[in-house]
Each structure stands twice: as C-alpha cells, then as structure tokens.
Amino acid sequence: MIKSMTGYGKGTLNTENREYQVEIKSVNHRYLDINIKIPRTLSYLEDIIKKQISEKVKRGKIDVFVTFANNSQEGKNIKINKEIAKMYIKELKELANEEKILNNIEVIEIAKFPDVLTIKTEEDDEKIKNEIIQVTKEATNKIVEMRSIEGEKISQDLISRLEKIETKIEEISKKSTGLIEEYVVKLEKRIKEILKTEEIDKARLAQEVVIYADKCSIEEEITRLKSHIYQFKNLININNNEVIGKKLDFIIQEMNRETNTIGSKANNLEITNGVIEIKTQLEDIREQIQNIE
C-alpha cells in the first residue's frame, strides 16, 4: 500500500510533573530529510529522535518540533555560592564605612544578588530518554497513519486514471489494425488517378504496403504500455514498507516515451486525439506520484 509524503502527527506526555510534546510535519522531498528543533537541555537526544522517525518514515522533508517543561522537584537542589556572597558582603561593608552609613546587612538581601543562589538539576537522563522515545513513537505512528490514509486516496485516483488509459489504449489498438487496409485502398485509388489506368503493379503495391506497415506499426508500443501499467498496479498494491515513489516516476517516464512514439507513428486523427488524452492522464499521474513515499 502506498503512502503519501504529506502528513502531521503529534504526541504528548505528562509524567512526574514533566511535560513533553513532539510535533512532526512532512512534505514531499526526493530523500529523507529530518530537521529537529529541540530545547538545548534535550539536544543530546536528537539522534535518538531521528532514529525513531526514520524506522517508519523513509522519504520526505520532516520537520520536528520538541517542547519540554520540567516542573518536577526531583533531582533539583538549591546551592549557595558562599564565595560570591562573601565578596558582596565585603564590598558592601567597605562602602558603608567609607560613607559612614549603617552596615546592617541582612542575609536575605545578599541572596537576591546575581549568582548567589543557583538551582542545580541532576536529572535522570535515562528516564527522560525513555519518555521522549515514547512520545516520539506516538507522534510518528500518527503521521504514518495520516500518510497511509492520504496514500490510499492517491492510490484510488491513480487506479482510476490507469483504467482510463487502458480503455484508450484498446481503442487505439483497434483503430490501428484498420490503418493498413485504409492505406491500401487510398494508395490504389491514388495510383489509378495519377496513372489514369486500372492496371496496378501488385508487387510494387505490396512492397509499399509492407514499408508503410513497418513505419506505422504500434504493436510493440502497445504491448510495452500494457506491461508498464501491470507493473505500476503491482507496485501500488505492494504490502510492505518499500519506497516506490521513484519507481513509479520511472515507469511514468517510460509510458510517456511509448505514447510519444505512438503519436509520431500515427497517421490518423483519432489515434492522435487518443494519444493526447493518454498524455493528459499521464501528466496528472506524474503530479500525483511526486507526493508518494
């Protein structure tokens, strides 16, 4: 089953006063390109997040937004930088003596000065890593689900267009079988008009017919087109995680090539119109598969 490269998924987790949110957005891209915006405190988990996503998403431009808030008291300690505090006290006393003012310094006032009090955090890295993996998996599963749903819609549209192409191919094939007979009738009539005689060199006529038949024959192109359609449908219905977007794009290029050859050989307005309709459908298919993983 095919997957679209467009999708969105979000995972959230609240545990032990720690809050996580992972948002994943994806659009089409030739390769897998994962960009992560993550708080600096969790930057060491960036590669782990990429690994979790790349296990299930194989192609597309992926933007990941991670938010994290730690409201837990676990592992947090308040530390007093006594050396800095003493420096503040010393300077303040000297200032008080110089200016002959009271030096009744309160400890609570010293604590308000910069760098005197700091909060030391000793977080459990392993616990946070497991929690970020959990929420990333949730977001990844959601975006994969959305990409699968979108892929199913694309698949239905592609099948519909392929069926239209198959119908048009059959019409062209039937029309091409009568071209030689039409050519023989027109050629005989033309020769008689030019030579003003009812006698025609049958050998020469047969030779001209053979040359014409060789030039206008589209049997090989029709056969290859049908083969390409068969391969295309097989890839659409494949039931694994294989990346098929590039393969489908190649098949469409080959189908375009065969269709162009038919158009160049066709000496018939109905076949030419049929070729135009096929090329229109192929162009629509090509645009659709640009968004297939």
Side-chain angles (χ1 to χ4, degrees):
M1 183 177 295
I2 67 175
K3 295 186 182 73
S4 167
M5 282 192 283
T6 301
Y8 173 81
K10 182 171 76 171
T12 58
L13 178 64
N14 296 318
T15 177
E16 298 180 359
N17 292 319
R18 286 189 294 273
E19 300 176 6
Y20 303 84
Q21 179 172 286
V22 175
E23 288 184 276
I24 306 176
K25 300 177 182 179
S26 69
V27 294
N28 60 317
H29 195 271
R30 292 184 64 188
Y31 309 103
L32 179 61
D33 180 19
I34 302 177
N35 300 293
I36 300 178
K37 291 186 177 180
I38 188 169
R40 188 171 61 181
T41 55
L42 298 183
S43 59
Y44 67 99
L45 295 173
E46 185 170 333
D47 288 341
I48 291 175
I49 294 173
K50 284 185 178 181
K51 181 181 178 183
Q52 295 299 318
I53 296 172
S54 61
E55 285 179 354
K56 293 189 176 182
V57 178
K58 304 302 180 184
R59 191 169 170 233
K61 186 179 187 304
I62 314 296
D63 289 316
V64 185
F65 305 90
V66 181
T67 56
F68 172 64
N70 190 357
N71 303 314
S72 171
Q73 301 303 315
E74 180 182 348
K76 291 183 178 179
N77 296 300
I78 296 177
K79 299 291 183 181
I80 298 177
N81 193 325
K82 294 181 180 180
E83 295 302 319
I84 291 181
K86 288 177 181 178
M87 291 173 63
Y88 280 125
I89 293 171
K90 179 184 176 183
E91 294 296 325
L92 288 171
K93 284 184 175 180
E94 288 181 0
L95 178 63
N97 291 332
E98 290 175 3
E99 300 298 328
K100 296 180 174 52
I101 59 177
L102 294 175
N103 63 355
N104 55 335
I105 302 170
E106 300 286 343
V107 68
I108 191 66
E109 297 299 325
I110 298 299
K112 295 178 181 179
F113 287 111
D115 300 323
V116 174
L117 292 182
T118 57
I119 298 177
K120 297 286 186 179
T121 304
E122 297 175 358
E123 296 177 328
D124 188 338
D125 290 348
E126 189 64 25
K127 184 180 291 186
I128 290 177
K129 183 184 80 171
N130 291 333
E131 289 169 352
I132 201 71
I133 288 175
Q134 179 183 340
V135 72
T136 300
K137 283 184 176 180
E138 179 187 353
T140 303
N141 288 336
K142 287 181 178 179
I143 195 172
V144 168
E145 180 182 1
M146 184 174 180
R147 284 159 64 113
S148 297
I149 293 173
E150 183 66 23
E152 179 60 28
K153 294 178 181 178
I154 294 175
S155 177
Q156 293 172 2
D157 181 73
L158 294 178
I159 292 295
S160 173
R161 295 184 185 281
L162 286 172
E163 289 174 351
K164 293 178 181 178
I165 290 175
E166 285 181 307
T167 300
K168 195 57 59 178
I169 289 173
E170 291 301 324
E171 292 176 3
I172 290 174
S173 180
K174 290 178 182 179
K175 185 63 182 177
S176 67
T177 57
L179 289 180
I180 297 176
E181 288 78 5
E182 291 180 8
Y183 177 74
V184 172
V185 173
K186 290 180 180 178
L187 184 60
E188 286 184 343
K189 182 179 179 182
R190 185 61 176 162
I191 291 173
K192 290 177 181 178
E193 289 176 352
I194 293 174
L195 299 179
K196 300 187 183 301
T197 178
E198 294 296 320
E199 295 183 8
I200 299 175
D201 186 341
K202 297 295 183 181
R204 179 61 178 170
L205 180 63
Q207 184 179 1
E208 291 295 329
V209 170
V210 169
I211 294 173
Y212 175 80
D214 183 61
K215 287 183 178 180
C216 72
S217 175
I218 58 173
E219 290 183 8
E220 290 184 13
E221 288 77 11
I222 293 293
T223 300
R224 284 195 288 267
L225 268 176
K226 291 180 178 179
S227 175
H228 293 326
I229 291 174
Y230 175 79
Q231 294 177 59
F232 198 104
K233 287 183 175 180
N234 276 350
L235 284 173
I236 288 178
N237 295 321
I238 202 165
N239 289 319
N240 56 34
N241 290 325
E242 183 179 355
V243 176
I244 63 171
K246 293 180 181 178
K247 293 182 179 180
L248 295 178
D249 189 52
F250 175 77
I251 291 175
I252 289 300
Q253 290 181 38
E254 293 302 305
M255 291 178 69
N256 255 315
R257 196 191 320 277
E258 302 299 341
T259 304
N260 286 335
T261 303
I262 292 174
S264 65
K265 287 184 175 182
N267 191 21
N268 179 275
L269 182 59
E270 291 182 33
I271 292 179
T272 299
N273 290 336
V275 165
I276 292 173
E277 291 184 34
I278 291 175
K279 286 180 68 64
T280 300
Q281 294 296 337
L282 288 175
E283 180 59 25
D284 290 339
I285 291 175
R286 191 192 67 80
E287 290 181 3
Q288 285 277 41
I289 62 178
Q290 298 307 309
N291 197 37
I292 292 178
E293 186 177 59

